Amino acid sequence: MTEPINELAAALAKVQGELPKVERDRTVEVTQKNGTTYSYSYVTLANLTDAILPLLAKHGLAFTAMPGTGSDGKMCLRYHLLHSSGQQLSGEFP
């Protein structure tokens, strides 16, 4: 039987409705083996965290990610989206 996540889902829907536009704040130039270059911009983790974590907390949500052993016995990143009700969504990224 699947655990209920109704409270977590409602909180997540509220967060998604309030997500701010986060501006890219870093640009990187990459030189390829053939000597040509290209650049791309991205949002730093620090700025993304500053924008998103308070919004998650406002709605009783927290996110964790830690290295661990996956279901296949190999190293992975184990993550959890937690709600103050005790409900959670979890997964792993190889």
Side-chain angles (χ1 to χ4, degrees), residues 13-32:
K14 289 177 183 175
V15 168
Q16 289 178 345
E18 297 178 29
L19 285 173
K21 180 176 181 178
V22 182
E23 297 294 327
R24 296 175 184 186
D25 60 317
R26 183 76 45 91
T27 300
V28 174
E29 187 170 297
V30 178
T31 302
Q32 300 181 89

Side-chain angles (χ1 to χ4, degrees), residues 5 19-21 25 58 61 69-70:
I5 59 164
L19 285 173
K21 180 176 181 178
D25 60 317
K58 173 182 170 185
L61 293 168
T69 304

Side-chain angles (χ1 to χ4, degrees), residues 82-94:
L82 309 165
H83 186 256
S84 57
S85 68
Q87 297 173 355
Q88 66 177 314
L89 291 173
S90 300
E92 57 187 53
F93 184 78

Side-chain angles (χ1 to χ4, degrees), residues 15 18-20 22 46-58 61:
V15 168
E18 297 178 29
L19 285 173
V22 182
N47 283 345
L48 186 62
T49 298
D50 287 347
I52 303 305
L53 289 185
L55 187 54
L56 291 175
K58 173 182 170 185
L61 293 168

